[in-house]
Amino acid sequence: MNYAERIRILRVDNDKTQAEIAKLLNVGQRTYCDYELGKTRIPVDSLIILAKLYNVNMDYICGLSDIRIPFPRI
């Protein structure tokens, strides 16, 4: 699973709309939609924001692991 699929699944599982997440990332809803469709690469800083929001580590959100480890807190 790639990050585009993973961010869509996480958003739906957390009952968030594309518009809500787009606002959090300071992008338009269409841009966020393109992230989920894999048409546009999502910036790393936005992936970090989403990992914090969904409390998952970067390996999980990027699709490198299927194990949901909480985002590291310092």
Side-chain angles (χ1 to χ4, degrees):
M1 181 175 299
N2 64 31
Y3 76 85
E5 295 170 294
R6 187 60 52 93
I7 63 173
R8 183 188 60 77
I9 290 168
L10 285 167
R11 178 182 57 77
V12 171
D13 286 350
N14 284 273
D15 297 320
K16 302 288 186 189
T17 66
Q18 286 185 344
E20 289 172 320
I21 301 302
K23 184 175 180 179
L24 175 72
L25 300 178
N26 294 315
V27 297
Q29 186 271 328
R30 182 71 230 166
T31 299
Y32 183 77
C33 180
D34 287 345
Y35 294 161
E36 285 191 0
L37 294 173
K39 292 182 177 182
T40 304
R41 287 182 167 242
I42 187 169
V44 173
D45 58 331
S46 293
L47 284 174
I48 293 169
I49 291 168
L50 293 177
K52 287 179 181 179
L53 173 69
Y54 300 130
N55 195 31
V56 295
N57 68 352
M58 291 297 289
D59 285 348
Y60 183 80
I61 205 164
C62 291
L64 299 173
S65 171
D66 290 330
I67 300 170
R68 290 180 81 151
I69 298 171
F71 189 85
R73 302 286 181 205
I74 298 177

